Amino acid sequence: MPAIAEPYRIKMVEPITMTTREQREAAIRAAGYNTFLLRSDDVYIDLLTDSGTSAMSDRQWSAMMMGDEAYAGARSFDHLVESVRENYGFPLVCPTHQGRGAEHLISKILITPGQHVPGNMYFTTTRVHQELAGGTFHDVIIDEAHDPASRHPFKGNVDLDKFQALIDEVGADQIAYINVAVTVNMAGGQPVSMANIRAVREICDRYGIILWSDATRLAENAWFIQEREDGYAGRPVAEIVREMLSHFDGITMSGKKDCLVNIGGFLAMRDEAILTKARELVVVYEGMPTYGGLAGRDLDAMAVGLREALDDDYLTHRIGQVRYLGERLQAAGVPIVEPIGGHAVFIDAAAFLDHLSQDELPAQTLAAEIFLDSGVRSMERGIVSAGRDADGNNRYPKLELVRLTIPRRVYTNSHMDVVADSVIRVFQRRREIQGLTFVYESPTLRFFTSRFEPL
Ligand code: F0G
């Protein structure tokens, strides 16, 4: 790829702190070796997440000034609905405070306790809400997704045979819906092809199964379709997004990613009956159906951001920046998930620290080591994130990863160079690194708040 500069210029800056090794040692100890528990002031380059960390545009900030803060019937809601209709093609919208608010509502609406919910790999909050609603999650992603070295171009695809086998086993009427995430976060930000979405739609039509999407990173998914799938080269991402979404009955959206906002989410759908139920629940858990837990200004920022995120030049730079970091690591022999995904570079911590067993928490350990080296904050996505099963046993995921997640429109490639240099330094002295063990394990979504100490 030729060098691609940012398709924007910087209008406002936020100073960040540089720290000494001693300060970082104190900070990670105080945080119980969990990067989620670090204070942001102790972090130099923050690659914890791409969620809610985007820089908004001058247009979004302007729209915020025009937000309508009426309790009911605010015009900011109308702006969001118009933008979702125009860009995503769904006529009906129910805002929520963020993605998991939408997951909570849709799980309660569609799942009858005892039912099954297939999906292309789990996501932490998605699966928790499905389980809290009485559902059982089934992973129906293709096997390649669980292999960090497989170079399949659409590693997020649903395995149609696995989906069919589940239908044969439990019966279509016991499947609440199938949830297809675009892209698949836990697999490394991997896309789903249009052909696969179409094929899943056919099966759903045959059996009368609802096809839902976790559309959190839909713009990045569409960019990969444009890059890799026959017939889509040269077609605008905005057009590909509309075609992708035309196959789904509805979506849950975390606006904190591909709507380029710091907070917000929504459900969007075609079926009035689902909207009616969503409105019944949203007033209990989030707020009035026209604001769903957000300020009017947040709805306006999201209405503008979701359009901006479909811009081809923006996406080429965004995914190009992720790739730039990944390729620097690859060139130094650091094991990463391939192909490089849309929102993050995922280091294969099991291969990086192959002298540690999974019980010695390689990914948790590596995230702490990278912070100690340079103040770069990353996130564990391995055995700690996977949690325990219904019987209380640790789940042992095949992927034991550290995620270097790139916020949208925030850092430059000079920052990416600092990150790459740090990871490479840690890689060169990897044999000296010892594992971690739990000192406090929180009962749900344990990766957020658990504490650890060195073995
Ligand atoms: N679905 C996916 C695929 C996600 O990545 C996230 C959040 C959610 C749903 C939930 O959305 O945070 O707005 O409630 N992912 C963040 C991350 C937290 O860091 O990957 P939310």
Side-chain angles (χ1 to χ4, degrees):
M1 249 199 204
I4 307 161
E6 289 73 12
Y8 46 83
R9 55 186 174 188
I10 296 163
K11 204 174 225 174
M12 190 185 280
V13 296
E14 178 187 358
I16 47 181
T17 18
M18 325 240 332
T19 51
T20 63
R21 171 101 195 175
E22 276 163 5
Q23 286 170 322
R24 294 193 293 274
E25 279 171 2
I28 197 76
R29 222 178 300 119
Y33 295 84
N34 184 349
T35 53
F36 277 101
L37 299 179
L38 287 165
R39 294 168 59 251
S40 156
D41 282 348
D42 292 325
V43 173
Y44 174 31
I45 299 174
D46 202 348
L47 306 188
L48 184 71
T49 179
D50 63 328
S51 183
T53 52
S54 301
M56 292 206 296
S57 66
D58 51 357
R59 276 148 234 214
Q60 285 176 287
W61 281 106
S62 306
M64 284 187 82
M65 296 303 290
M66 303 288 285
D68 177 357
E69 305 305 340
Y71 187 82
R75 69 177 171 271
S76 300
F77 172 70
D78 298 335
H79 295 160
L80 177 66
V81 174
E82 279 161 29
S83 186
V84 169
R85 283 186 186 158
E86 179 193 323
N87 294 292
Y88 294 173
F90 291 107
L92 309 175
V93 182
C94 178
T96 56
H97 74 284
Q98 60 184 79
R100 70 198 71 175
E103 291 172 340
H104 177 209
L105 302 189
I106 202 63
S107 301
K108 272 196 148 66
I109 293 167
L110 295 182
I111 300 171
T112 303
Q115 281 189 323
H116 303 270
V117 192
N120 51 345
M121 201 174 269
Y122 86 100
F123 184 71
T124 54
T125 58
T126 318
R127 184 175 64 193
V128 159
H129 280 297
Q130 291 165 352
E131 288 173 351
L132 289 171
T136 303
F137 167 80
H138 296 266
D139 187 1
V140 294
I141 203 165
I142 57 172
D143 286 340
E144 285 88 339
H146 294 281
D147 172 6
S150 159
R151 296 198 53 87
H152 193 294
F154 290 103
K155 267 171 114 170
N157 280 356
V158 172
D159 185 322
L160 303 175
D161 294 334
K162 289 184 193 169
F163 181 28
Q164 182 67 54
L166 181 68
I167 297 171
D168 295 343
E169 186 194 329
V170 304
D173 58 339
Q174 287 309 307
I175 294 183
Y177 59 102
I178 177 169
N179 183 47
V180 178
V182 291
T183 58
V184 182
N185 188 354
M186 301 298 274
Q190 304 294 338
V192 180
S193 71
M194 193 75 83
N196 189 251
I197 295 172
R198 253 186 254 118
V200 174
R201 176 81 255 175
E202 276 172 28
I203 298 180
C204 287
D205 283 345
R206 201 173 317 139
Y207 292 97
I209 295 171
I210 294 172
L211 175 52
W212 210 260
S213 177
D214 176 345
T216 292
R217 295 182 182 83
L218 81 182
E220 290 163 8
N221 197 90
W223 189 89
F224 283 117
I225 289 177
Q226 186 195 59
E227 182 190 51
R228 296 177 187 170
E229 192 160 353
D230 281 351
Y232 291 94
R235 284 187 44 194
V237 160
E239 208 178 291
I240 299 173
V241 161
R242 278 195 299 276
E243 182 179 330
M244 264 167 53
L245 295 182
S246 72
H247 298 295
F248 292 98
D249 296 305
I251 60 173
T252 49
M253 189 72 194
S254 169
K256 302 173 73 170
K257 286 79 163 176
D258 273 352
C259 300
L260 296 169
V261 289
N262 304 121
I263 193 70
F266 54 85
L267 285 171
M269 69 217 77
R270 302 177 210 290
D271 184 346
E272 291 275 359
I274 295 179
L275 180 70
T276 301
K277 287 187 193 146
R279 288 186 161 164
E280 287 164 12
L281 291 173
V282 79
V283 291
V284 179
Y285 295 108
E286 306 273 324
M288 279 289 286
T290 54
Y291 76 82
L294 297 167
R297 56 181 170 269
D298 300 325
L299 300 171
D300 268 302
M302 196 151 57
V304 175
L306 75 82
R307 189 176 295 118
E308 288 182 356
L310 306 186
D311 181 81
D312 290 275
D313 293 331
Y314 151 73
L315 282 164
T316 300
H317 173 264
R318 193 275 180 291
I319 297 176
Q321 184 174 54
V322 175
R323 212 170 267 184
Y324 174 78
L325 173 61
E327 286 174 353
R328 275 219 51 203
L329 296 181
Q330 266 174 329
V334 176
I336 63 170
V337 173
E338 298 184 71
I340 298 161
H343 67 299
V345 175
F346 288 72
I347 304 171
D348 181 352
F352 193 114
L353 296 176
D354 59 7
H355 57 290
L356 300 186
S357 73
Q358 204 165 9
D359 286 315
E360 292 170 308
L361 317 180
Q364 191 73 35
T365 304
L366 181 54
E369 285 294 332
I370 294 169
F371 174 77
L372 279 168
D373 183 77
S374 59
V376 170
R377 169 152 72 170
S378 59
M379 181 193 289
E380 193 265 7
R381 293 274 87 151
I383 184 171
V384 178
S385 294
R388 292 177 183 272
D389 64 21
D391 300 325
N393 298 315
N394 275 318
R395 295 187 174 105
Y396 287 88
K398 288 196 191 117
L399 297 179
E400 178 72 23
L401 308 175
V402 166
R403 189 180 74 174
L404 300 163
T405 336
I406 317 301
R408 295 168 181 79
R409 307 193 291 205
V410 171
Y411 292 114
T412 65
N413 282 6
S414 304
H415 292 108
M416 297 303 114
D417 283 330
V418 171
V419 175
D421 289 346
S422 174
V423 173
I424 292 164
R425 264 194 310 274
V426 175
F427 186 61
Q428 282 158 355
R429 56 170 193 78
R430 63 191 178 279
R431 296 284 172 237
E432 300 161 19
I433 297 170
Q434 300 302 311
L436 291 170
T437 186
F438 278 96
V439 288
Y440 160 69
E441 184 183 343
S442 54
T444 40
L445 299 176
R446 67 182 182 180
F447 53 95
F448 282 130
T449 51
S450 290
R451 302 180 70 85
F452 307 85
E453 65 183 16
L455 279 168

